[in-house]
Amino acid sequence: MKQLYLKRLLLLAICAVAVVSPCSLTAQSTSGSISGLVLDDSGAGIPGVTVTAVSTSTGATRSSLSTDRGAFTIPLVPPGVYDVSAELSGFRPVKTSGVRVNVGTDASVRLQMRIGVEESVTVTAAAPLIETSRSQVSSVVGEEMIENLPTNGRNFIDFVLTTPGVVRDVRQGDISFAGQRGTLNSLVVDGANNDNTFFGQALGRTGSGRAPYQFSQDAVKEFVVNSNAYSAEYGRAGGAVINVITKSGTNDFDGTGFYFLRDKRYNANDYINVINNRVKSPYHFDQFGLSVGGPIVRDRHFFFANYDAQRNSIEQIVVLGGRPYPTDAASQAGLAKLQALAGNYPRNQDQDVYLLKTDHEILAKSHLSLRYNRQEFTGLNFESGGTTIAEEHSGNSLVKTDTLSGVLTTPFNASLFNEVRGQYAKDQEPGTANTAAPEAVIRQNGPVLTIGRNFFSPRETTIKRNQIADTVTYLWNTHTFKGGFDVSKDDILNFFPGNFSGSYTFTSLANFQNGIVNRYVQAFPGPGTSGPTTNPNILETALFIQDEWRIRPSLTLNAGLRYDKQSIEQSQVRNPDAQLAAAGIDTRVVPEDSNNIGPRVGFAWNPGQNNRTVIRGGYGTFYGRTPAIMIGTAHSNNGINVQTITFTGTQVPVYPNIFPALPTGAALPGPTIVVFDKDFENPTVHQASVGVEQGLTNDLSIGVSYQYVRGENLQRSIDTNVGASSIVTSAISTGGSVSYKRYSSVRPFSNFGRIIEFQSTARSEYNGVTLDLNKRFSENWQARLAYTWSEVMDTRPDATAVVPGGSDDAKYAQDPLDLEGDWAPGDNDVRHRVVLSGVWNLDSYASGLNNSFVRGLFGGWGLSGIASYQTGQPYSPRVFVDLNGDGNALNDRAPGFKRNSFRLPSQFLIEPRITKDIPLAGDLSVQLIAEAFNLLNRSNVSFVNTGFYNFNATTSTLTPIANFGAPTGSAGPRIVQIAAKLRF
């Protein structure tokens, strides 16, 4: 009781700070800050100095006063380059130029003033490279890198992979930080939540094999990756928070037009094609667009606009399977029907992206930024595809996203500042069907062809979001206090009509011709329910307080507290089954986790106060989301909303008919249902780090960090309706035998098949050491070397195992009653990864040449690129039958092996870019670009055959599979991209 009282008191205190404070510096900030010291000749701090920062691109000014120790902080500074000056009567004015401010970071400046009234002193040396007050682990990916590094597909998020501690997640489109699954990350764009809270990815599900990107690479200015022990300003993530800022207009009117081309004729053949004696796969991409920005009113109002398009055409090759075919008349007639449906067909990925942004200096140094972005994607025939999939079985995957956001920053005085943010977003992702005919799977010695409507089409998932947030910054003596709130409401429509249009299975060509059906499956809406339509709406509320305390000029302490609450709209339908009621299982209820209070603490120590060395460390408790796909699945798969029946024998309708409604007298089978564990909680992640960063020069730094991350209450799906187990033994055909557990076919809940329970019982542990050598752009080059050694162990968490009976079954733990038996290297365990990236402008080497022709020939060249190496990720040997009898044939490991006991080969990529700038007239120039991905055409195997044994149920014999470990997929062949950019 006392603990509950203290929690409520703490929550009340947080609310009081947020309400009483009239303003604040934002969580997920759209700005950075400038701080430092003003010192006299003796090194003592000078109080009362007016410190002013002036943007070199917009003329915007921000100012602050130094404290009695000479310390100053200018918060809410838009990213860019600034001249910072200090003025006080009796002292000579001093100015430092070229101070770069990045989003979410602090630029440290030391100003030395002398007594006198002579003219001002300008220091042209660049500001220190190291953030002396930063305690968290974070990395900035700046404009220079985004504009000049090569990326296959022009998705700017891929540049995250140049930073330490990052690998691609095993789920396509996701990125893993510290071994955590990608669903635990959060993406923030211009201070607004850009997460798709249904699928647990970014809005538009960009990079997941369909829509390529939501924001054009040419519209992104920079971003910062907060990966460990970050402040209480950031939340809704147990992994990393990626904070992105889009470009704004300046006092200079300028723009670019671009065209990028990738085509099959420039590429090498894929390694998988080569080993299977196949020709090059079809491949063609066109990407083009235009960006323009400038002043509306100089120094006051600005605009930036961007259009970006992708067009591609990739032919789907269809090859009838199941050879050899019988020669009887019925089989040949059935084959002829399928051949008429088995033509090749196009699979296109076409997209248009639009962005318009305006920035305004208003009132007394207030700043208003408004941004609208629209994405329109059509994946022609992307609902289904494969060599044995007919075009009519597919449909178009559509994505339409709209985001409208605004940020207003206001200084009330030299100590009190406010930033308020608002957003409306809509993410609409329907899928169409190419035919109304029911699905039909025709087999003959394996699958021959699948025709008819895809079993889940047409479908739709739409999110409508309204978000409002406000934060206060208050400067007092050596403290920078922050506090605020963030409320985001998602109204979600999910329509997933699995098997509602019927699905036939024919076991031979002759049976297909003669209409002899092996089985027929159709789903029906439960009477009085919404059937396959659900509304898993969520409301996210966050409150935080944060104090940055400069205890001494050399020591900064960061401490904060954050509260996150995810409120969930509950289902209106309860399965009334008496067995469930007796066990306390309520299919209506999704538990809400209301005690997510996360403390954050960190320090940054600058021994010697020379801005060259920083020792930093921190710890924090972080909470992840429950993706709404889990909630919607539980709402519809309760055994009442959706009733799926398998018909055989005389019950089967005549192909291609379907039942208009549930047939009278049809026996409802024991359904498979999905429920939430009554003790379910949101993921909890403990992050800790300690490291040291050393400035070797003004432009070169090296940092070493140790990171520890422990995940608790991680999500997974478990079948809790398994029978009694026994130990059985199977012979191995090559000699010997092996014993394993097998469950009885008699289930405890006899009225049901599988009862899939969403649990928060998985856990993980990560240990990692990173080295980051960073050279910022100067003397015409910039580079970064990032090395990570790490180990992640877990019990197989996965928040995406949501469709029982489908491919998601492969994501389940093998043994539902021995979950700790899955403790092993995690799926994202990459022990070693090193990435070298850099930009080198060669133009200066030709500028001194006397001959104008020679200077034009050898001038204007640039080199950049990314080279990366990583050791292989782990995988498990499989037996693709339901060996242990739990009703899941996709998650059984080969007996005698632990989880993830094998490793994929290592991967090595060299991806260079070479450019040539050609001046045309005035400020008009053209840049020619050539770049390659996987230049050395390495095999880079990413998938292998994981089948280790075949199983003969009659003899209970396991037979080793000869091609276990044989490559089945790669990261891609050498791809060459050529491009041109027109600049004005």
Side-chain angles (χ1 to χ4, degrees):
M1 189 70 180
K2 182 178 179 181
Q3 186 179 13
L4 179 61
Y5 172 77
L6 289 174
K7 287 181 178 179
R8 288 178 176 174
L9 185 63
L10 183 57
L11 179 59
L12 183 62
I14 297 174
C15 293
V17 170
V19 172
V20 172
S21 300
C23 51
S24 67
L25 180 78
T26 179
Q28 287 98 43
S29 178
T30 61
S31 55
S33 61
I34 300 173
S35 68
L37 296 171
V38 185
L39 307 174
D40 62 18
D41 285 336
S42 68
I46 307 174
V49 178
T50 299
V51 182
T52 303
V54 180
S55 170
T56 60
S57 61
T58 67
T61 62
R62 302 290 185 269
S63 60
S64 182
L65 291 175
S66 63
T67 67
D68 55 359
R69 296 185 182 180
F72 70 91
T73 297
I74 307 176
L76 301 179
V77 179
V81 178
Y82 289 82
D83 293 333
V84 180
S85 60
E87 293 184 357
L88 180 66
S89 177
F91 288 84
R92 297 170 61 184
V94 63
K95 180 171 73 174
T96 296
S97 60
V99 177
R100 178 171 292 279
V101 177
N102 297 113
V103 59
T105 64
D106 178 69
S108 179
V109 178
R110 185 182 295 256
L111 298 167
Q112 196 91 27
M113 300 186 74
R114 295 182 176 180
I115 296 175
V117 292
E118 294 93 339
E119 63 184 39
S120 63
V121 177
T122 299
V123 180
T124 57
L129 179 61
I130 295 177
E131 286 184 78
T132 57
S133 61
R134 173 170 62 87
S135 57
Q136 78 274 13
V137 177
S138 63
S139 301
V140 173
V141 178
E143 192 170 4
E144 196 74 31
M145 289 294 203
I146 293 173
E147 289 185 352
N148 292 285
L149 289 180
T151 175
N152 189 357
R154 290 177 51 78
N155 184 356
F156 74 90
I157 290 295
D158 287 347
F159 294 131
V160 170
L161 295 166
T162 65
T163 65
V166 187
V167 299
R168 289 196 185 276
D169 191 272
V170 291
R171 183 193 188 197
Q172 189 174 16
D174 289 2
I175 295 176
S176 171
F177 294 84
Q180 301 299 304
R181 299 307 304 269
T183 51
L184 289 175
N185 299 329
S186 181
L187 178 65
V188 177
V189 180
D190 293 331
N193 171 15
N194 205 67
D195 300 322
N196 182 303
T197 53
F198 185 84
F199 292 106
Q201 296 179 306
L203 288 180
R205 300 189 71 195
T206 55
S208 59
R210 295 179 179 177
Y213 45 83
Q214 185 193 2
F215 289 85
S216 169
Q217 180 182 344
D218 278 35
V220 174
K221 181 177 178 62
E222 62 182 39
F223 59 91
V224 62
V225 181
N226 299 285
S227 56
N228 189 287
Y230 40 88
S231 79
E233 297 177 67
Y234 300 93
R236 295 174 181 152
V241 174
I242 303 170
N243 194 7
V244 181
I245 292 296
T246 57
K247 290 181 179 178
S248 297
T250 68
N251 278 327
D252 294 323
F253 184 84
D254 52 27
T256 59
F258 61 89
Y259 172 73
F260 286 77
L261 170 67
R262 286 170 281 149
D263 189 81
K264 169 185 174 180
R265 63 183 180 270
Y266 307 133
N267 300 347
N269 198 8
D270 185 79
Y271 174 69
I272 304 303
N273 286 339
V274 172
I275 63 177
N276 288 284
N277 297 313
R278 297 195 294 252
V279 299
K280 284 186 193 179
S281 302
Y283 189 92
H284 182 88
F285 282 83
D286 297 288
Q287 292 177 278
F288 51 91
L290 175 71
S291 298
V292 61
I296 302 172
V297 177
R298 287 185 60 84
D299 294 338
R300 303 294 294 175
H301 305 285
F302 310 90
F303 80 96
F304 177 83
N306 167 263
Y307 168 70
D308 187 303
Q310 172 183 288
R311 301 289 184 268
N312 86 327
S313 180
I314 298 178
E315 187 179 28
Q316 174 65 66
I317 306 298
V318 178
V319 180
L320 294 177
R323 290 179 171 83
Y325 305 128
T327 58
D328 63 280
S331 296
Q332 290 299 305
L335 180 62
K337 287 182 180 179
L338 295 182
Q339 286 173 332
L341 299 172
N344 299 341
Y345 54 92
R347 300 187 81 217
N348 295 358
Q349 291 173 290
D350 297 338
Q351 176 168 282
D352 296 281
V353 173
Y354 311 85
L355 181 141
L356 177 63
K357 185 177 182 182
T358 63
D359 289 85
H360 312 270
E361 293 292 318
I362 58 176
L363 304 175
K365 299 181 181 179
S366 293
H367 182 83
L368 173 65
S369 180
L370 301 171
R371 188 258 300 156
Y372 171 72
N373 190 83
R374 179 169 177 81
Q375 171 194 22
E376 296 178 352
F377 169 79
T378 299
L380 180 69
N381 291 321
F382 258 75
E383 285 296 275
S384 181
T387 57
T388 60
I389 301 296
E391 181 176 11
E392 69 172 23
H393 188 256
S394 192
N396 297 341
S397 300
L398 307 178
V399 177
K400 295 182 180 180
T401 66
D402 293 275
T403 56
L404 176 63
S405 67
V407 181
L408 175 63
T409 60
T410 305
F412 287 95
N413 54 45
S415 300
L416 193 59
F417 305 83
N418 187 70
E419 182 170 285
V420 61
R421 307 184 319 279
Q423 177 191 210
Y424 169 78
K426 182 179 181 181
D427 185 349
Q428 187 175 16
E429 300 189 32
T432 66
N434 284 346
T435 181
E439 180 180 76
V441 180
I442 297 91
R443 303 180 63 85
Q444 180 83 54
N445 303 318
V448 179
L449 189 68
T450 300
I451 61 176
R453 174 178 287 185
N454 190 312
F455 80 95
F456 57 77
S457 296
R459 59 167 184 85
E460 180 178 357
T461 303
T462 296
I463 300 174
K464 295 180 181 178
R465 172 173 302 148
N466 290 282
Q467 180 184 10
I468 185 68
D470 189 83
T471 330
V472 182
T473 299
Y474 178 63
L475 307 179
W476 178 71
N477 201 357
T478 56
H479 295 265
T480 300
F481 294 107
K482 305 174 186 177
F485 70 87
D486 189 338
V487 178
S488 183
K489 177 70 167 65
D490 281 6
D491 293 320
I492 304 174
L493 165 67
N494 184 50
F495 174 65
F496 189 83
N499 288 314
F500 273 70
S501 57
S503 178
Y504 287 86
T505 300
F506 298 92
T507 56
S508 70
L509 290 167
N511 284 348
F512 172 61
Q513 170 64 21
N514 296 324
I516 301 173
V517 180
N518 174 255
R519 70 168 195 162
Y520 173 72
V521 178
Q522 187 174 342
F524 305 88
T529 73
S530 60
T533 300
T534 59
N535 298 102
N537 304 328
I538 61 175
L539 172 66
E540 295 181 316
T541 306
L543 305 167
F544 82 94
I545 52 176
Q546 180 82 21
D547 178 24
E548 181 181 291
W549 179 21
R550 297 200 175 222
I551 301 174
R552 295 197 300 269
S554 62
L555 180 63
T556 301
L557 176 68
N558 293 294
L561 198 63
R562 184 179 177 93
Y563 175 76
D564 283 294
K565 172 69 184 294
Q566 182 180 3
S567 301
I568 298 167
E569 184 159 326
Q570 303 294 321
S571 172
Q572 300 302 310
V573 179
R574 174 188 289 121
N575 191 312
D577 182 81
Q579 290 182 319
L580 296 179
I585 298 175
D586 189 342
T587 60
R588 262 192 344 180
V589 176
V590 179
E592 293 185 355
D593 197 356
S594 300
N595 62 347
N596 292 339
I597 299 175
R600 318 279 172 89
V601 63
F603 72 90
W605 177 39
N606 174 216
Q609 302 183 44
N610 57 8
N611 288 353
R612 284 292 181 90
T613 306
V614 177
I615 300 171
R616 57 173 60 98
Y619 164 81
T621 303
F622 302 80
Y623 298 94
R625 291 187 177 97
T626 298
I629 191 172
M630 299 175 69
I631 303 166
T633 301
H635 284 182
S636 60
N637 288 269
N638 51 22
I640 304 296
N641 271 54
V642 176
Q643 299 173 350
T644 303
I645 303 177
T646 299
F647 299 89
T648 57
T650 58
Q651 295 178 316
V652 175
V654 176
Y655 176 78
N657 297 313
I658 69 172
F659 293 114
L662 182 67
T664 303
L668 292 174
T672 290
I673 64 171
V674 178
V675 300
F676 273 83
D677 179 6
K678 62 180 181 298
D679 296 321
F680 183 88
E681 298 181 27
N682 286 78
T684 305
V685 180
H686 301 271
Q687 300 181 4
S689 63
V690 63
V692 58
E693 186 175 7
Q694 176 69 46
L696 304 176
T697 68
N698 280 343
D699 300 314
L700 180 65
S701 69
I702 185 171
V704 178
S705 295
Y706 165 72
Q707 300 180 39
Y708 174 76
V709 178
R710 187 176 81 247
E712 300 172 346
N713 304 325
L714 303 181
Q715 300 132 334
R716 61 177 161 201
S717 307
I718 299 297
D719 183 3
T720 59
N721 193 24
V722 293
S725 65
S726 59
I727 302 298
V728 297
T729 301
S730 291
I732 301 175
S733 63
T734 54
S737 62
V738 65
S739 297
Y740 52 92
K741 184 187 293 186
R742 179 175 292 169
Y743 288 100
S744 165
S745 60
V746 179
R747 295 183 179 269
F749 292 86
S750 57
N751 296 337
F752 298 90
R754 299 164 67 189
I755 298 180
I756 307 301
E757 190 172 76
F758 290 145
Q759 297 183 354
S760 53
T761 55
R763 62 188 179 94
S764 69
E765 189 169 280
Y766 172 92
N767 288 275
V769 176
T770 63
L771 181 147
D772 193 10
L773 183 64
N774 197 6
K775 163 70 170 63
R776 72 177 170 190
F777 192 81
S778 64
E779 299 178 343
N780 302 302
W781 68 287
Q782 175 177 352
R784 178 175 218 153
L785 177 67
Y787 167 74
T788 304
W789 174 89
S790 63
E791 179 186 57
V792 57
M793 302 286 289
D794 63 34
T795 53
R796 204 166 194 207
D798 199 312
T800 67
V802 293
V803 183
S807 60
D808 284 354
D809 276 355
K811 304 173 184 177
Y812 288 31
Q814 174 180 263
D815 189 344
L817 297 186
D818 182 21
L819 300 178
E820 286 301 307
D822 269 8
W823 179 257
D827 293 348
N828 291 321
D829 181 43
V830 174
R831 295 298 168 89
H832 300 275
R833 177 172 170 82
V834 59
V835 184
L836 174 64
S837 58
V839 176
W840 187 15
N841 186 343
L842 304 176
D843 189 55
S844 62
Y845 300 101
S847 60
L849 297 175
N850 295 325
N851 186 291
S852 61
F853 174 79
V854 175
R855 188 167 60 249
L857 182 64
F858 290 98
W861 292 94
L863 290 175
S864 64
I866 303 172
S868 63
Y869 167 84
Q870 70 175 46
T871 52
Q873 290 170 271
Y875 67 94
S876 300
R878 299 287 189 182
V879 180
F880 291 112
V881 295
D882 186 13
L883 198 63
N884 66 357
D886 67 348
N888 184 347
L890 297 183
N891 70 335
D892 291 73
R893 290 196 302 274
F897 289 93
K898 293 183 177 296
R899 171 176 167 248
N900 282 343
S901 50
F902 290 83
R903 293 265 172 178
L904 294 170
S906 61
Q907 294 196 5
F908 178 57
L909 291 169
I910 295 180
E911 300 178 329
R913 169 191 269 201
I914 184 168
T915 62
K916 168 66 174 176
D917 291 318
I918 303 173
L920 298 177
D923 293 331
L924 185 65
S925 66
V926 65
Q927 182 183 66
L928 303 179
I929 302 170
E931 51 196 11
F933 310 100
N934 190 12
L935 177 68
L936 303 181
N937 199 36
R938 287 256 308 187
S939 57
N940 289 328
V941 173
S942 55
F943 296 99
V944 297
N945 177 26
T946 59
F948 194 85
Y949 287 127
N950 283 323
F951 180 68
N952 187 317
T954 302
T955 62
S956 189
T957 302
L958 294 164
T959 301
I961 297 175
N963 67 342
F964 168 75
T968 59
S970 81
R974 176 175 61 247
I975 295 173
V976 174
Q977 181 166 258
I978 57 176
K981 274 191 174 184
L982 185 68
R983 293 176 170 170
F984 55 90

